[in-house]
PDB file of all heavy atoms in Angstrom:
ATOM      1  N   LEU A  84       8.757  -8.605   4.754  1.00 82.00           N
ATOM      2  CA  LEU A  84       8.338  -9.924   4.370  1.00 82.00           C
ATOM      3  C   LEU A  84       9.548 -10.710   3.662  1.00 82.00           C
ATOM      4  O   LEU A  84       9.680 -11.936   3.964  1.00 82.00           O
ATOM      5  CB  LEU A  84       7.217  -9.812   3.381  1.00 82.00           C
ATOM      6  CG  LEU A  84       6.399 -11.067   3.104  1.00 82.00           C
ATOM      7  CD1 LEU A  84       5.610 -11.336   4.398  1.00 82.00           C
ATOM      8  CD2 LEU A  84       5.443 -10.842   1.995  1.00 82.00           C
ATOM      9  N   TYR A  88      11.046 -14.238   4.766  1.00 77.00           N
ATOM     10  CA  TYR A  88      11.198 -15.394   3.812  1.00 77.00           C
ATOM     11  C   TYR A  88      12.707 -15.903   3.890  1.00 77.00           C
ATOM     12  O   TYR A  88      12.889 -17.021   3.837  1.00 77.00           O
ATOM     13  CB  TYR A  88      10.855 -14.946   2.416  1.00 77.00           C
ATOM     14  CG  TYR A  88       9.313 -14.923   2.213  1.00 77.00           C
ATOM     15  CD1 TYR A  88       8.804 -14.416   1.008  1.00 77.00           C
ATOM     16  CD2 TYR A  88       8.402 -15.301   3.204  1.00 77.00           C
ATOM     17  CE1 TYR A  88       7.460 -14.319   0.851  1.00 77.00           C
ATOM     18  CE2 TYR A  88       7.027 -15.225   3.010  1.00 77.00           C
ATOM     19  CZ  TYR A  88       6.582 -14.680   1.711  1.00 77.00           C
ATOM     20  OH  TYR A  88       5.229 -14.642   1.579  1.00 77.00           O
ATOM     21  N   LEU A 102       7.287  -6.683  -6.467  1.00 86.00           N
ATOM     22  CA  LEU A 102       6.533  -6.889  -5.368  1.00 86.00           C
ATOM     23  C   LEU A 102       5.957  -5.582  -4.889  1.00 86.00           C
ATOM     24  O   LEU A 102       4.768  -5.382  -4.511  1.00 86.00           O
ATOM     25  CB  LEU A 102       7.267  -7.594  -4.202  1.00 86.00           C
ATOM     26  CG  LEU A 102       7.604  -9.039  -4.514  1.00 86.00           C
ATOM     27  CD1 LEU A 102       8.523  -9.582  -3.376  1.00 86.00           C
ATOM     28  CD2 LEU A 102       6.398  -9.874  -4.647  1.00 86.00           C
ATOM     29  N   GLU A 105       3.277  -4.412  -7.140  1.00 88.00           N
ATOM     30  CA  GLU A 105       2.062  -5.276  -6.915  1.00 88.00           C
ATOM     31  C   GLU A 105       1.263  -4.695  -5.620  1.00 88.00           C
ATOM     32  O   GLU A 105       0.097  -4.608  -5.623  1.00 88.00           O
ATOM     33  CB  GLU A 105       2.406  -6.684  -6.683  1.00 88.00           C
ATOM     34  CG  GLU A 105       1.281  -7.670  -6.732  1.00 88.00           C
ATOM     35  CD  GLU A 105       0.610  -7.762  -8.134  1.00 88.00           C
ATOM     36  OE1 GLU A 105       1.245  -7.759  -9.110  1.00 88.00           O
ATOM     37  OE2 GLU A 105      -0.669  -7.896  -8.112  1.00 88.00           O
ATOM     38  N   CYS A 106       2.105  -4.383  -4.666  1.00 89.00           N
ATOM     39  CA  CYS A 106       1.462  -3.778  -3.404  1.00 89.00           C
ATOM     40  C   CYS A 106       0.782  -2.453  -3.628  1.00 89.00           C
ATOM     41  O   CYS A 106      -0.276  -2.249  -3.044  1.00 89.00           O
ATOM     42  CB  CYS A 106       2.472  -3.717  -2.290  1.00 89.00           C
ATOM     43  SG  CYS A 106       3.027  -5.285  -1.550  1.00 89.00           S
ATOM     44  N   LEU A 108      -0.478  -1.372  -6.488  1.00 90.00           N
ATOM     45  CA  LEU A 108      -1.741  -1.631  -7.253  1.00 90.00           C
ATOM     46  C   LEU A 108      -2.799  -2.141  -6.282  1.00 90.00           C
ATOM     47  O   LEU A 108      -3.994  -1.813  -6.379  1.00 90.00           O
ATOM     48  CB  LEU A 108      -1.467  -2.602  -8.342  1.00 90.00           C
ATOM     49  CG  LEU A 108      -0.677  -2.115  -9.490  1.00 90.00           C
ATOM     50  CD1 LEU A 108      -0.421  -3.148 -10.488  1.00 90.00           C
ATOM     51  CD2 LEU A 108      -1.525  -0.980 -10.171  1.00 90.00           C
ATOM     52  N   CYS A 109      -2.440  -3.052  -5.354  1.00 90.00           N
ATOM     53  CA  CYS A 109      -3.378  -3.632  -4.415  1.00 90.00           C
ATOM     54  C   CYS A 109      -3.974  -2.466  -3.554  1.00 90.00           C
ATOM     55  O   CYS A 109      -5.078  -2.379  -3.274  1.00 90.00           O
ATOM     56  CB  CYS A 109      -2.611  -4.615  -3.503  1.00 90.00           C
ATOM     57  SG  CYS A 109      -3.671  -5.286  -2.136  1.00 90.00           S
ATOM     58  N   GLY A 110      -3.030  -1.552  -3.065  1.00 89.00           N
ATOM     59  CA  GLY A 110      -3.512  -0.402  -2.327  1.00 89.00           C
ATOM     60  C   GLY A 110      -4.442   0.462  -3.068  1.00 89.00           C
ATOM     61  O   GLY A 110      -5.395   0.989  -2.504  1.00 89.00           O
ATOM     62  N   GLU A 112      -6.448  -0.472  -5.418  1.00 90.00           N
ATOM     63  CA  GLU A 112      -7.761  -1.239  -5.598  1.00 90.00           C
ATOM     64  C   GLU A 112      -8.565  -1.110  -4.261  1.00 90.00           C
ATOM     65  O   GLU A 112      -9.834  -1.033  -4.305  1.00 90.00           O
ATOM     66  CB  GLU A 112      -7.446  -2.710  -5.901  1.00 90.00           C
ATOM     67  CG  GLU A 112      -6.976  -2.869  -7.292  1.00 90.00           C
ATOM     68  CD  GLU A 112      -6.573  -4.317  -7.601  1.00 90.00           C
ATOM     69  OE1 GLU A 112      -6.782  -5.144  -6.687  1.00 90.00           O
ATOM     70  OE2 GLU A 112      -6.057  -4.587  -8.652  1.00 90.00           O
ATOM     71  N   ILE A 130      -1.257  -2.610   5.510  1.00 86.00           N
ATOM     72  CA  ILE A 130      -0.208  -3.571   5.747  1.00 86.00           C
ATOM     73  C   ILE A 130      -0.955  -4.992   5.676  1.00 86.00           C
ATOM     74  O   ILE A 130      -0.481  -5.946   5.143  1.00 86.00           O
ATOM     75  CB  ILE A 130       0.421  -3.375   7.113  1.00 86.00           C
ATOM     76  CG1 ILE A 130       1.462  -2.300   6.873  1.00 86.00           C
ATOM     77  CG2 ILE A 130       0.977  -4.631   7.615  1.00 86.00           C
ATOM     78  CD1 ILE A 130       2.255  -2.083   8.065  1.00 86.00           C
ATOM     79  N   THR A 131      -2.158  -5.077   6.295  1.00 86.00           N
ATOM     80  CA  THR A 131      -2.821  -6.356   6.301  1.00 86.00           C
ATOM     81  C   THR A 131      -3.158  -6.829   4.880  1.00 86.00           C
ATOM     82  O   THR A 131      -3.006  -7.860   4.466  1.00 86.00           O
ATOM     83  CB  THR A 131      -4.036  -6.350   7.132  1.00 86.00           C
ATOM     84  OG1 THR A 131      -3.702  -5.827   8.403  1.00 86.00           O
ATOM     85  CG2 THR A 131      -4.826  -7.663   7.175  1.00 86.00           C
ATOM     86  N   CYS A 132      -3.772  -5.886   4.142  1.00 87.00           N
ATOM     87  CA  CYS A 132      -4.117  -6.326   2.682  1.00 87.00           C
ATOM     88  C   CYS A 132      -2.963  -6.577   1.806  1.00 87.00           C
ATOM     89  O   CYS A 132      -2.923  -7.601   1.086  1.00 87.00           O
ATOM     90  CB  CYS A 132      -5.015  -5.166   2.100  1.00 87.00           C
ATOM     91  SG  CYS A 132      -6.513  -4.875   2.911  1.00 87.00           S
ATOM     92  N   MET A 133      -1.859  -5.770   2.029  1.00 87.00           N
ATOM     93  CA  MET A 133      -0.747  -6.020   1.107  1.00 87.00           C
ATOM     94  C   MET A 133       0.025  -7.282   1.514  1.00 87.00           C
ATOM     95  O   MET A 133       0.503  -8.063   0.645  1.00 87.00           O
ATOM     96  CB  MET A 133       0.272  -4.799   1.171  1.00 87.00           C
ATOM     97  CG  MET A 133      -0.251  -3.604   0.518  1.00 87.00           C
ATOM     98  SD  MET A 133       0.954  -2.281   0.813  1.00 87.00           S
ATOM     99  CE  MET A 133       0.116  -0.949   0.047  1.00 87.00           C
ATOM    100  N   GLY A 134       0.049  -7.530   2.817  1.00 85.00           N
ATOM    101  CA  GLY A 134       0.712  -8.822   3.256  1.00 85.00           C
ATOM    102  C   GLY A 134      -0.114 -10.047   2.790  1.00 85.00           C
ATOM    103  O   GLY A 134       0.502 -11.012   2.381  1.00 85.00           O
ATOM    104  N   GLY A 135      -1.382  -9.911   2.839  1.00 87.00           N
ATOM    105  CA  GLY A 135      -2.249 -10.997   2.316  1.00 87.00           C
ATOM    106  C   GLY A 135      -2.059 -11.171   0.870  1.00 87.00           C
ATOM    107  O   GLY A 135      -1.962 -12.379   0.350  1.00 87.00           O
ATOM    108  N   LYS A 136      -1.977 -10.082   0.067  1.00 86.00           N
ATOM    109  CA  LYS A 136      -1.663 -10.149  -1.352  1.00 86.00           C
ATOM    110  C   LYS A 136      -0.340 -10.873  -1.661  1.00 86.00           C
ATOM    111  O   LYS A 136      -0.304 -11.773  -2.557  1.00 86.00           O
ATOM    112  CB  LYS A 136      -1.728  -8.734  -1.951  1.00 86.00           C
ATOM    113  CG  LYS A 136      -1.475  -8.746  -3.434  1.00 86.00           C
ATOM    114  CD  LYS A 136      -2.621  -9.303  -4.220  1.00 86.00           C
ATOM    115  CE  LYS A 136      -2.465  -9.018  -5.694  1.00 86.00           C
ATOM    116  NZ  LYS A 136      -3.543  -9.548  -6.420  1.00 86.00           N
ATOM    117  N   LEU A 137       0.678 -10.538  -0.901  1.00 84.00           N
ATOM    118  CA  LEU A 137       1.978 -11.124  -1.118  1.00 84.00           C
ATOM    119  C   LEU A 137       1.962 -12.546  -0.749  1.00 84.00           C
ATOM    120  O   LEU A 137       2.650 -13.389  -1.382  1.00 84.00           O
ATOM    121  CB  LEU A 137       3.079 -10.315  -0.399  1.00 84.00           C
ATOM    122  CG  LEU A 137       3.341  -8.891  -0.913  1.00 84.00           C
ATOM    123  CD1 LEU A 137       4.324  -8.277   0.010  1.00 84.00           C
ATOM    124  CD2 LEU A 137       3.783  -8.924  -2.351  1.00 84.00           C
ATOM    125  N   SER A 138       1.308 -12.938   0.327  1.00 83.00           N
ATOM    126  CA  SER A 138       1.192 -14.367   0.640  1.00 83.00           C
ATOM    127  C   SER A 138       0.541 -15.150  -0.420  1.00 83.00           C
ATOM    128  O   SER A 138       0.897 -16.295  -0.720  1.00 83.00           O
ATOM    129  CB  SER A 138       0.553 -14.536   1.996  1.00 83.00           C
ATOM    130  OG  SER A 138       1.310 -13.873   2.989  1.00 83.00           O
ATOM    131  N   GLN A 139      -0.589 -14.578  -0.946  1.00 85.00           N
ATOM    132  CA  GLN A 139      -1.261 -15.205  -2.018  1.00 85.00           C
ATOM    133  C   GLN A 139      -0.395 -15.394  -3.116  1.00 85.00           C
ATOM    134  O   GLN A 139      -0.462 -16.476  -3.872  1.00 85.00           O
ATOM    135  CB  GLN A 139      -2.548 -14.285  -2.370  1.00 85.00           C
ATOM    136  CG  GLN A 139      -3.337 -14.986  -3.490  1.00 85.00           C
ATOM    137  CD  GLN A 139      -4.401 -13.942  -3.904  1.00 85.00           C
ATOM    138  OE1 GLN A 139      -4.528 -12.916  -3.350  1.00 85.00           O
ATOM    139  NE2 GLN A 139      -5.116 -14.398  -4.978  1.00 85.00           N
ATOM    140  N   LEU A 140       0.435 -14.376  -3.572  1.00 82.00           N
ATOM    141  CA  LEU A 140       1.346 -14.526  -4.695  1.00 82.00           C
ATOM    142  C   LEU A 140       2.371 -15.652  -4.498  1.00 82.00           C
ATOM    143  O   LEU A 140       2.590 -16.470  -5.377  1.00 82.00           O
ATOM    144  CB  LEU A 140       2.131 -13.209  -4.915  1.00 82.00           C
ATOM    145  CG  LEU A 140       1.301 -12.174  -5.657  1.00 82.00           C
ATOM    146  CD1 LEU A 140       2.217 -10.910  -5.683  1.00 82.00           C
ATOM    147  CD2 LEU A 140       1.007 -12.556  -7.040  1.00 82.00           C
ATOM    148  N   ARG A 141       2.840 -15.725  -3.209  1.00 79.00           N
ATOM    149  CA  ARG A 141       3.824 -16.803  -2.953  1.00 79.00           C
ATOM    150  C   ARG A 141       3.149 -18.218  -3.034  1.00 79.00           C
ATOM    151  O   ARG A 141       3.752 -19.099  -3.634  1.00 79.00           O
ATOM    152  CB  ARG A 141       4.431 -16.600  -1.555  1.00 79.00           C
ATOM    153  CG  ARG A 141       5.546 -17.587  -1.206  1.00 79.00           C
ATOM    154  CD  ARG A 141       5.942 -17.490   0.209  1.00 79.00           C
ATOM    155  NE  ARG A 141       6.524 -18.679   0.612  1.00 79.00           N
ATOM    156  CZ  ARG A 141       5.968 -19.828   1.046  1.00 79.00           C
ATOM    157  NH1 ARG A 141       4.641 -19.775   1.148  1.00 79.00           N
ATOM    158  NH2 ARG A 141       6.582 -20.835   1.393  1.00 79.00           N
ATOM    159  N   ARG A 142       1.933 -18.331  -2.523  1.00 81.00           N
ATOM    160  CA  ARG A 142       1.298 -19.559  -2.600  1.00 81.00           C
ATOM    161  C   ARG A 142       0.939 -20.038  -4.071  1.00 81.00           C
ATOM    162  O   ARG A 142       1.167 -21.163  -4.374  1.00 81.00           O
ATOM    163  CB  ARG A 142      -0.028 -19.569  -1.748  1.00 81.00           C
ATOM    164  CG  ARG A 142       0.143 -19.823  -0.314  1.00 81.00           C
ATOM    165  CD  ARG A 142      -1.261 -20.076   0.336  1.00 81.00           C
ATOM    166  NE  ARG A 142      -2.119 -18.977  -0.029  1.00 81.00           N
ATOM    167  CZ  ARG A 142      -2.329 -17.881   0.740  1.00 81.00           C
ATOM    168  NH1 ARG A 142      -1.558 -17.677   1.779  1.00 81.00           N
ATOM    169  NH2 ARG A 142      -3.324 -17.032   0.403  1.00 81.00           N
ATOM    170  N   SER A 143       0.524 -19.034  -4.813  1.00 83.00           N
ATOM    171  CA  SER A 143       0.168 -19.438  -6.159  1.00 83.00           C
ATOM    172  C   SER A 143       1.325 -19.766  -7.011  1.00 83.00           C
ATOM    173  O   SER A 143       1.366 -20.645  -7.861  1.00 83.00           O
ATOM    174  CB  SER A 143      -0.624 -18.382  -6.899  1.00 83.00           C
ATOM    175  OG  SER A 143      -0.298 -17.140  -6.589  1.00 83.00           O
TER     176      SER A 143
END
Side-chain angles (χ1 to χ4, degrees):
L84 199 67
Y88 285 172
L102 291 175
E105 191 69 38
C106 286
L108 287 175
C109 174
E112 288 173 6
I130 280 186
T131 304
C132 293
M133 289 176 183
K136 177 73 171 179
L137 292 177
S138 297
Q139 177 186 0
L140 282 174
R141 185 187 159 276
R142 276 193 309 273
S143 35

